[in-house]
Amino acid sequence: MFKPLEGLVVLEFSQFMAGPTAGLRLADLGARVIKIERPVKGEAGRQIAIRNIFVNGDSLVFHTINRNKESYAADLKNPEDLERVKKLIAQADVMTHNFRPGVMEKIGLDYETVQSINPKIIYGVVTGYGAKGPWASRPGQDLLIQSLSGLTYLSDTQDTGPVPFGLAVADIMCGAHFVQGILAALIKRAKTQKSVLVEVSLLESVLDLQFEFLTTHLNDGEKLPQRSKVKGTGHPYLSAPYGIYRTADAYLALAMGDLHNIGKALGVDLSTYATKSSWFDNRDKIMELIAAQLQTKTTAEWLAILEPLDIWCSEVLSYAESLQHEAFTAMGIQQHVILPDGSQLNTTRCPIRIDHTRLYSSLAAPRPGVSTELINQQFNLTEA
């Protein structure tokens, strides 16, 4: 099928996760994404590994966010390499980077200079905390961003203290925002025929991720989120029964709903809690009552009771259980990419569908500089 971004050339100077995650999505949608990397070693993200898992010399994490891209080797401190990169920029539609403020200015690839090379370029920048301000030069690392944004006070119980998410939420959310900004800039360029600067930061993305909490905080006397004392609570601002409970054999998730209807279905007398405000003020007591009752039956037995009554509930699955479920198979979310040695790597596809069509790609992450000669020829970068 013809993908929406086919014909678009994106130069990715970005490293690690946020910028490359955006590049991954642009590539999934049809753009030609060329990573500009250091000769031999490539970008630093190739060595950032989860559980020290490496595949074909690069970290598994690198493979997950850099499939379907090309790699162009260039030493930006070398005048000849830099000149070739500038020729490439002149023919590109988008370039992205996540260097700290001041780095691209020293190299000579800041926005103003790049504009003079390509007056229609979309110039995208990812920072940790914005280009200006007291934190501008601090390292933009996911755990640090979570810790500085208030996010760590949303999970677990009241007495636990701050708890980070076991997921690179700052990088992934920022990457999604980056794609949105780049696509909006492309629309603006089509109208104005001029370059557009797109800027996102990890901190702003995580703050935006929490917009419902921050709005509540700012209009609720700026109190600390009130996490429950009961293990399994799912939300610091929602009333009982919202959370995950142990059953006779596993776990059950209960979302929001009319507490009295839920109590009746469970066989728990909750009539004492007459008002919705009491459902929050007394949620620990309510959840303890519900928790005791849920342990009397299995998860399957409770689902058979609750689901016909349209009560929002669900079994709680592990990764293994989720990936083996028929719903996972029906979605076709799994795909295989072919590694340079011919072996396969299991991963997930782009979650977007275009004209009812799922977007798959079997092209694995590139080895450093593997496309350099081809790109030199195609873009006439070595001609005098």
Side-chain angles (χ1 to χ4, degrees), residues 324-359:
Q324 293 169 7
H325 197 280
E326 59 182 353
F328 177 84
T329 303
M331 288 181 180
I333 196 70
Q334 187 171 341
Q335 70 173 9
H336 304 286
V337 294
I338 310 302
L339 298 169
D341 64 2
S343 61
Q344 292 185 341
L345 176 69
N346 294 323
T347 185
T348 55
R349 65 166 172 84
C350 174
I352 301 168
R353 302 186 193 193
I354 302 294
D355 292 333
H356 308 292
T357 302
R358 296 164 177 160
L359 304 179

Side-chain angles (χ1 to χ4, degrees), residues 89-376:
I89 288 172
Q91 301 172 69
D93 296 285
V94 179
M95 68 172 284
T96 70
H97 79 81
N98 64 340
F99 293 113
R100 291 191 190 185
V103 172
M104 282 303 235
E105 284 77 6
K106 291 180 181 178
I107 294 172
L109 293 179
D110 55 280
Y111 179 48
E112 288 72 20
T113 302
V114 168
Q115 271 185 305
S116 67
I117 298 170
N118 184 341
K120 295 183 179 181
I121 194 82
I122 305 300
Y123 190 97
V125 184
V126 179
T127 62
Y129 313 87
K132 298 179 180 179
W135 291 350
S137 296
R138 293 186 64 164
Q141 195 276 335
D142 200 278
L143 177 61
L144 308 185
I145 299 293
Q146 290 191 44
S147 300
L148 290 168
S149 67
L151 187 68
T152 56
Y153 281 97
L154 299 183
S155 297
D156 217 311
T157 57
Q158 187 180 100
D159 301 325
T160 306
V163 177
F165 279 67
L167 182 70
V169 290
D171 288 311
I172 294 169
M173 195 68 223
C174 188
H177 286 156
F178 202 24
V179 172
Q180 294 169 13
I182 290 169
L183 294 178
L186 288 167
I187 294 172
K188 181 178 180 180
R189 185 185 70 176
K191 296 176 180 179
T192 65
Q193 297 300 305
K194 294 181 180 179
S195 65
V196 183
L197 173 65
V198 178
E199 297 174 285
V200 293
S201 77
L202 297 173
L203 182 58
E204 287 168 298
S205 286
V206 174
L207 291 173
D208 180 75
L209 175 65
Q210 302 173 81
F211 73 90
E212 59 173 322
F213 298 108
L214 289 173
T215 303
T216 302
H217 174 76
L218 293 170
N219 292 278
D220 186 37
E222 300 190 356
K223 301 173 185 175
L224 195 67
Q226 299 175 48
R227 294 177 293 178
S228 170
K229 291 183 179 180
V230 178
K231 188 175 179 61
T233 307
H235 198 294
Y237 288 115
L238 290 183
S239 306
Y242 199 92
I244 293 176
Y245 300 83
R246 185 180 289 278
T247 64
D249 66 336
Y251 293 91
L252 180 80
L254 279 175
M256 65 280 284
D258 185 285
L259 187 64
H260 296 146
N261 291 340
I262 293 170
K264 184 178 179 180
L266 295 175
V268 179
D269 182 10
L270 300 175
S271 59
T272 305
Y273 308 102
T275 65
K276 289 187 176 181
S277 61
S278 70
W279 301 355
F280 182 82
D281 294 338
N282 298 284
R283 64 178 173 174
D284 287 359
K285 294 179 181 178
I286 295 170
M287 292 181 71
E288 287 171 350
L289 291 171
I290 292 174
Q293 180 68 354
L294 285 173
Q295 292 185 45
T296 64
K297 298 181 187 296
T298 67
T299 296
E301 289 172 329
W302 282 121
L303 290 174
I305 294 171
L306 300 174
E307 288 184 332
L309 299 174
D310 289 329
I311 291 174
W312 291 356
C313 58
S314 172
E315 58 190 321
V316 180
L317 303 180
S318 65
Y319 275 139
E321 292 167 331
S322 179
L323 299 184
Q324 293 169 7
H325 197 280
E326 59 182 353
F328 177 84
T329 303
M331 288 181 180
I333 196 70
Q334 187 171 341
Q335 70 173 9
H336 304 286
V337 294
I338 310 302
L339 298 169
D341 64 2
S343 61
Q344 292 185 341
L345 176 69
N346 294 323
T347 185
T348 55
R349 65 166 172 84
C350 174
I352 301 168
R353 302 186 193 193
I354 302 294
D355 292 333
H356 308 292
T357 302
R358 296 164 177 160
L359 304 179
Y360 292 98
S361 172
S362 62
L363 186 63
R367 297 296 299 143
V370 69
S371 303
T372 302
E373 291 305 316
L374 175 63
I375 292 169
N376 280 338

